Amino acid sequence: MTQSIVVQVGQCGNQIGCRFWDLALREHAAVNKKGIYDEALCSFFRNTNSRADAGGADVQRGRICSLKARAVIIDMEEGVVNEILQGPLRDLFDSAQFITDVSGSGNNWAVGHKLYGGQYRDQIVEKLRRTAEQCDCLQCFFVIHSMGGGTGSGLGTFVLNILEDEFPEVYRFVTSVYPSAEDDVITSPYNSVLAMRELTEHADCVLPIENQSLVDIVNKINQMTNCGKLGAVKPNSLVTSNIGGVKESEKPFDAMNNIVANLLLNLTSSARFEGPLNMDLNEITMNLVPFPHLHYLTSSLTPLYTLADVNVPTRRLDQMFSDAFNKDHQLIRADPKHSLYLACALMVRGNVHISDLRRNIERLV
Ligand SMILES: Nc1nc2c(ncn2[C@@H]2O[C@H](COP(=O)(O)OP(=O)(O)OP(=O)(O)O)[C@@H](O)[C@H]2O)c(=O)[nH]1
Ligand SMILES: [Mg+2]
């Protein structure tokens, strides 16, 4: 199995990254009850337990311990990073994985890209190299950042340049959060335009996410659960739910970030678990990117919750196929019904019959 490294940059990148690590750990703990350090865990985590060969990692409170995330954590402010260092995920990272400054980039792309980029280049290269050396077969970098701030957009895209220079063979997947129209950062449109040019030039694949879409999905789920329209929903099955709660109190972006973390969780599932129908991550770009620069992929997510009663699998699957092309399930504000797909990939997780998949694909085309 191959390995991937997550590079989380800026406030938004780190907050989403942490939700991803939390969910990934829980997912592994749910199927790997003994907490054995296996190939699946190796894809995104490394083991620090010296007894690894004898038995592997151990499990405590539903979480697998003695693991470190294959991640590089960058923020030019200390706030979010300090929260991580004091939070429940603190054991998942060691100090060698962090790069921080104190003042932040002041929502200015140029400060992140030009000033901090030049200043921190060597440190970033060194930390990336060290993380890469701990992999047997490094396949992908996942960069997570926002387009609206200064550090995520400026330094995040600078890191992308470094990755291209230093690791030209390794795929660069970027998850970019675009600001909503009501964004309180005045410079966010400028930062986004400047960052987008870099994404076009230096990424292999970009998953654009619009904050407004996330807000709409969160509102829709809240509305449906509040008015009891959903019937019996399986507890903690909402994509917005902060399962188990990393923090005691939920912060404003948490529900939105859970949606993005779920998207990444699903996208990487075939890299994180063995399966007969799995696909390689680089097959995504190989099959969906028609020209090198046309590498922006819109994404959608369904179901947004799981019903307690799972007795209607076929109908549910049909509904999920329809929902995947419904504008309410898109993570950017686009209506697939009024657009044209050049290529499309449907990733399905769970026990489904191939015949049901075929029937639905035929129904849709
Ligand atoms: N979805 C989501 N969006 C966020 C989050 N945090 C910030 N944003 C959005 O990201 C943009 C601001 O970028 P930040 O990530 O806060 O900025 P930064 O990269 O830390 O850069 P500086 O603070 O300028 O150094 C705004 O559009 C915010 O709405 C988050 O946790 N989730
Ligand atoms: Mg910041």
Side-chain angles (χ1 to χ4, degrees):
M1 256 177 138
T2 56
Q3 290 93 44
S4 300
I5 295 174
V6 176
V7 186
Q8 34 198 70
V9 194
Q11 173 184 316
C12 177
N14 280 301
Q15 288 181 164
I16 291 176
C18 283
R19 293 306 309 138
F20 168 77
W21 292 114
D22 185 43
L23 294 180
L25 266 188
R26 284 169 200 282
E27 205 172 77
H28 282 286
V31 292
N32 186 350
K33 296 246 166 12
K34 289 192 180 144
I36 292 171
Y37 185 70
D38 54 8
E39 290 243 319
L41 270 175
C42 172
S43 57
F44 278 78
F45 298 92
R46 71 192 161 84
N47 191 8
T48 53
N49 188 342
S50 51
R51 294 177 294 123
D53 299 332
D58 42 318
V59 187
Q60 269 175 24
R61 279 180 274 128
R63 248 205 223 121
I64 303 175
C65 313
S66 60
L67 293 177
K68 297 281 180 219
R70 298 190 192 279
V72 176
I73 292 173
I74 305 174
D75 200 354
M76 294 295 108
E77 261 170 320
E78 289 179 310
V80 177
V81 172
N82 283 344
E83 259 176 48
I84 299 174
L85 285 171
Q86 285 155 16
L89 291 177
R90 61 183 172 271
D91 296 335
L92 202 55
F93 312 100
D94 62 41
S95 55
Q97 289 170 268
F98 292 91
I99 299 172
T100 52
D101 201 303
V102 281
S103 54
S105 306
N107 296 322
N108 185 332
W109 180 89
V111 172
H113 200 87
K114 302 288 178 192
L115 186 78
Y116 286 126
Q119 208 172 320
Y120 282 91
R121 189 180 201 284
D122 292 347
Q123 250 197 66
I124 295 172
V125 170
E126 200 252 332
K127 305 233 165 178
L128 286 169
R129 278 212 191 118
R130 195 194 292 202
T131 317
E133 277 163 11
Q134 289 157 340
C135 302
D136 298 327
C137 179
L138 175 60
Q139 188 183 34
C140 288
F141 283 107
F142 284 89
V143 179
I144 312 175
H145 71 141
S146 67
M147 300 292 275
T151 302
S153 73
L155 193 56
T157 52
F158 187 84
V159 170
L160 211 52
N161 277 275
I162 295 182
L163 293 176
E164 190 181 32
D165 287 347
E166 300 285 326
F167 307 89
E169 307 295 321
V170 184
Y171 274 85
R172 296 176 298 280
F173 267 92
V174 188
T175 306
S176 306
V177 175
Y178 283 70
S180 64
E182 287 92 46
D183 201 89
D184 49 6
V185 177
I186 294 170
T187 49
S188 67
Y190 304 99
N191 293 333
S192 303
V193 170
L194 291 161
M196 199 144 159
R197 180 176 178 276
E198 302 291 320
L199 292 183
T200 305
E201 293 296 327
H202 305 291
D204 286 312
C205 181
V206 180
L207 301 170
I209 312 281
E210 242 183 294
N211 261 347
Q212 190 57 51
S213 298
L214 300 180
V215 170
D216 292 347
I217 292 177
V218 172
N219 287 343
K220 188 180 152 194
I221 293 176
N222 287 346
Q223 228 174 33
M224 286 167 97
T225 41
N226 288 344
C227 67
K229 226 179 181 173
L230 290 181
V233 176
K234 208 168 150 190
N236 288 339
S237 74
L238 301 172
V239 290
T240 49
S241 78
N242 196 352
I243 317 166
V246 156
K247 305 167 206 107
E248 289 76 42
S249 59
E250 205 168 299
K251 297 216 304 191
F253 283 116
D254 276 357
M256 290 159 71
N257 292 349
N258 275 339
I259 298 174
V260 187
N262 268 285
L263 175 75
L264 288 172
L265 210 64
N266 295 333
L267 183 75
T268 56
S269 65
S270 61
R272 289 183 299 113
F273 296 104
E274 303 264 14
L277 295 176
N278 275 0
M279 56 179 277
D280 220 34
L281 280 168
N282 59 16
E283 282 179 55
I284 298 174
T285 40
M286 202 189 296
N287 290 309
L288 297 184
V289 175
F291 302 103
H293 284 179
L294 280 188
H295 55 228
Y296 292 83
L297 307 182
T298 67
S299 40
S300 66
L301 198 64
T302 173
L304 301 173
Y305 49 84
T306 313
L307 294 179
D309 176 15
V310 286
N311 284 328
V312 279
T314 312
R315 232 184 62 209
R316 284 280 287 161
L317 187 73
D318 293 0
Q319 185 62 47
M320 277 159 59
F321 265 80
S322 303
D323 284 346
F325 296 96
N326 184 313
K327 68 175 174 27
D328 294 339
H329 288 251
Q330 308 300 315
L331 300 196
I332 70 166
R333 283 201 297 168
D335 187 353
K337 299 236 163 61
H338 297 117
S339 315
L340 176 75
Y341 280 98
L342 287 181
C344 175
L346 292 151
M347 295 182 192
V348 187
R349 292 185 78 181
N351 279 332
V352 286
H353 294 291
I354 303 271
S355 56
D356 280 336
L357 298 182
R358 289 228 175 87
R359 181 174 47 77
N360 269 297
I361 291 169
E362 272 160 26
R363 180 170 69 87
L364 290 168
V365 290

